[in-house]
Amino acid sequence: MEGRLKPSRSLEDRLRDHPELWVKIESLLAVVENAAGDVEKAAEVVCRGCSEPLQRVIVDFGADAPAARIPQKLKEHHGIEVCASTCWSIVLQHAQTIDERPKAVAQIPERDGVAQLIAEIDGSMIPVVEMAESNDPSAKVDRRKTRQVGWKEARLSLVHTLGSVTPVFGATVGPPDQAGETLLRTAVQAGLGRQTKVHAVGDGAAWIADQVSEQFGLHGHFLVDFYHVCDYLTAAGKTIASTPARAWLETQKDRLKQNRVPDVLDELQPFVEDDSVPDDNAPVRAAYRYLTNRPGQFNYRDALMAKLPIGSGEVESAHRYVIQDRLKRAGAWWKLKNARHMLALRVCRANQEWDSYWQSRRQQAA
């Protein structure tokens, strides 16, 4: 339309028409940056880095999203540009600080505590990568040739009072004894005392039952996940059931809930496969061994009467939103120490300790 001013082109658009100017500008910028660096060194001035409120935003994003997406989120939500490497460095720094915070002594405190706690513990595999490090800092190592990928079990603990929907979490990538100590600390945080009874549920892994016994003693009782047992019986029922497999399974489930484990074993025993049959083709033998090797861990009747859970589905679901959503992304591989730090960060947020962490930092800086 005549008389209307044409919108002026930006400097960047105009410079695109003259690529030779870009080269000169980049050269000038390099000179300015080098000069600025010389001035900083001469004046003994260092960059202050990101402010703590900005660091909190960066760590908040990094706890849930890959490092490469943090700059995009910063730009979108706050209009701030920070490179991905700086963002990731800040995330790991705070994750490490959280991971290395002093831990309470793993022991039952001298107090009465709450009457009843429910504890669940389970493991989940996360992808890890290891690369050989050279003893000579000046030596160049092609890490692509020394890269080894594998899987590491992250053990998640969950404890809460009966009827509560707000559990306390604990996690470790350490061995079973560390997982047991983590479970005990988690229980203490949830209200464990000298008069507390601990109802622990998990799959049939021997280390779980051993740690419940070692950490809680007479205060704890371990129950094998009911639905895990049913998986074994389902496979066995397809082989031996003279009646429809589903009806046979329901009968065995009722017997388990009535603590009639010997009746279930009697049902299985005549059909146990010979030892010469490979384990993969011997579902009845697998079910029979599973039940006989765990005496005292199938007290479903008393648990149901006390309205206590007989399955560990709560902690199995927690694996997804506490661990797997961040540490088990497609194509992602973690250095073990970074996985440990990120796990601590995720648990901190799951336990509603996020605000208190930043408050403690402000108090230390004051």
Side-chain angles (χ1 to χ4, degrees):
M1 186 181 218
E2 291 187 8
R4 177 176 292 181
L5 294 175
K6 294 182 178 179
S8 59
R9 300 174 66 200
S10 68
L11 176 60
E12 184 176 351
D13 289 337
R14 284 180 282 173
L15 284 174
R16 286 197 180 96
D17 297 335
H18 303 280
E20 70 280 0
L21 292 178
W22 273 114
V23 179
K24 293 182 180 180
I25 291 174
E26 290 176 349
S27 299
L28 288 171
L29 288 174
V31 172
V32 171
E33 289 176 355
N34 289 334
D38 293 339
V39 171
E40 288 179 354
K41 291 179 181 178
E44 297 183 352
V45 175
V46 295
C47 177
R48 294 181 62 188
C50 299
S51 67
E52 187 143 297
L54 177 56
Q55 290 184 44
R56 176 169 179 164
V57 172
I58 290 172
V59 180
D60 190 22
F61 287 143
D64 297 321
R69 293 183 56 192
I70 300 176
Q72 176 187 352
K73 288 180 172 290
L74 277 176
K75 181 68 174 178
E76 176 183 354
H77 295 284
H78 301 281
I80 300 173
E81 295 185 6
V82 181
C83 69
S85 60
T86 298
C87 290
W88 186 232
S89 177
I90 291 171
V91 171
L92 285 181
Q93 173 191 340
H94 285 280
Q96 181 177 359
T97 300
I98 292 171
D99 183 31
E100 295 177 352
R101 289 182 299 181
K103 295 178 175 59
V105 178
Q107 63 182 24
I108 300 176
E110 294 292 341
R111 64 186 184 193
D112 288 344
V114 299
Q116 180 75 65
L117 285 176
I118 296 168
E120 298 181 16
I121 186 170
D122 193 30
S124 176
M125 306 305 290
I126 58 175
V128 296
V129 59
E130 296 181 1
M131 291 175 285
E133 300 290 343
S134 174
N135 295 327
D136 183 3
S138 62
K140 293 184 178 180
V141 179
D142 188 349
R143 294 188 174 184
R144 294 173 299 177
K145 297 181 179 179
T146 62
R147 183 174 181 267
Q148 294 183 340
V149 296
W151 296 86
K152 186 72 174 179
E153 186 173 23
R155 296 179 166 100
L156 181 66
S157 303
L158 174 156
V159 184
H160 61 78
T161 56
L162 181 62
S164 173
V165 294
T166 308
V168 180
F169 296 98
T172 180
V173 291
D177 59 333
Q178 287 187 17
E181 292 178 358
T182 300
L183 176 63
L184 178 55
R185 292 192 187 95
T186 306
V188 170
Q189 192 173 348
L192 178 69
R194 294 293 178 181
Q195 302 301 320
T196 304
K197 295 181 180 180
V198 180
H199 174 73
V201 188
D203 63 30
W207 69 267
I208 298 179
D210 291 344
Q211 287 303 316
V212 169
S213 176
E214 181 176 341
Q215 302 299 334
F216 300 112
L218 297 177
H219 295 273
H221 176 267
F222 177 71
L223 188 71
V224 173
D225 178 277
F226 180 78
Y227 306 98
H228 198 73
V229 180
C230 290
D231 288 340
Y232 281 86
L233 293 176
T234 298
K238 295 177 181 179
T239 301
I240 69 176
S242 56
T243 58
R246 186 175 184 84
W248 181 89
L249 176 63
E250 291 302 320
T251 299
Q252 310 318 312
K253 289 166 65 174
D254 289 341
R255 287 172 173 173
L256 286 175
K257 291 178 181 179
Q258 297 168 21
N259 284 8
R260 295 167 56 192
V261 177
D263 291 344
V264 178
L265 291 173
D266 289 343
E267 186 79 19
L268 294 172
Q269 201 277 331
F271 303 95
V272 172
E273 295 87 355
D274 189 82
D275 290 341
S276 61
V277 179
D279 288 342
D280 291 343
N281 299 325
V284 181
R285 187 176 67 211
Y288 189 85
R289 286 178 177 175
Y290 192 85
L291 291 171
T292 55
N293 290 342
R294 294 164 176 81
Q297 298 178 11
F298 304 102
N299 190 3
Y300 301 116
R301 181 187 60 193
D302 290 354
L304 290 170
M305 291 178 61
K307 297 183 179 180
L308 296 172
I310 60 174
S312 56
E314 190 175 7
V315 73
E316 292 172 8
S317 297
H319 269 297
R320 176 182 53 79
Y321 62 82
V322 176
I323 298 178
Q324 296 176 2
D325 279 355
R326 185 64 184 91
L327 286 118
K328 206 171 182 179
R329 290 177 175 270
W333 296 88
W334 292 82
K335 288 184 177 179
L336 184 57
K337 65 176 183 179
N338 291 348
R340 186 174 65 248
H341 299 334
M342 179 56 68
L343 190 59
L345 173 57
R346 297 282 295 183
V347 169
C348 173
R349 289 163 63 89
N351 283 340
Q352 309 299 319
E353 298 172 348
W354 178 248
D355 289 336
S356 62
Y357 168 70
W358 293 100
Q359 289 173 3
S360 67
R361 287 185 61 84
R362 286 196 296 271
Q363 292 172 358
Q364 293 173 3

